[in-house]
Amino acid sequence: QSALTQPPSVSGTPGQTVTISCSGSRSNIGRDYAFWYQQFPGTAPKLLMYKRIYRPSWVPDRFSGSQSGATAYLAISGLRAEDEADYYCAAWDNSLGWVFGGGTKLTVL
Amino acid sequence: EVQLVESGGGWVQPGGSLRLSCAASGFTFSTHKMHWVRQAPGKGLEWVSFIDENGTYKKDRDSVRGRFIISRDNAENSLFLQMNSLRDDDTAIYYCVRESNGFDPWGQGTLVTVSA
């Protein structure tokens, strides 16, 4: 059981906006930044969002991050077929060290 | 180009040992915290161990504490993970990861299989 909780799967059609949630606690997201990673099958994960809202230069602005209390959110607008991947949230936990969510598989219908 | 290349994975029997290595290039290795993160087949990501810039401070997840030892050689731009008393549930791809505003980048990973 992961310290951070994500929905196992989300789906959307091209052009739609989808949001992935990541629920934590006061010992992790509630007190520190959330990070997001994107992983395609058979490849290593890549950093997608850092410190809650910032994007590496390669990430399009269709991806955005936000947070409310101990829950972080990743929104993907203008959904495209190439966005189909697994998405993981992560945060530093006071007691456990770095923790990840269980991952969310995004399907573009 | 920033690059991390892991090696040392393979098959080992339960109770055995393996030593993973990670060769870093394209950045100043000695100024970055480093981590090992693993992913069991078909499963999610799991943080394993962390070491600070000069190897003074380390932290491990509970399930590997006392069995795994993270270390680094800044002169050789290398990160290591000594894994002892390996168990079936240690089977995973092990990624070497730089900490730089998050985990970035990740190596390609090395597969460790623990099985009788």
Side-chain angles (χ1 to χ4, degrees), chain A residues 47-65:
Chain A
L47 179 66
L48 188 67
M49 302 286 302
Y50 64 96
K51 293 184 178 178
R52 199 178 302 157
I53 62 171
Y54 298 100
R55 291 184 304 275
S57 58
W58 65 272
V59 178
D61 59 6
R62 300 186 295 104
F63 292 82
S64 62

Side-chain angles (χ1 to χ4, degrees), chain A residues 35 47 50, chain B residues 32-33 35 97-105:
Chain A
F35 297 77
L47 179 66
Y50 64 96
Chain B
H32 288 270
K33 300 175 177 63
H35 301 256
V97 188
R98 183 184 73 168
E99 183 176 328
S100 178
N101 283 325
F103 294 153
D104 182 43

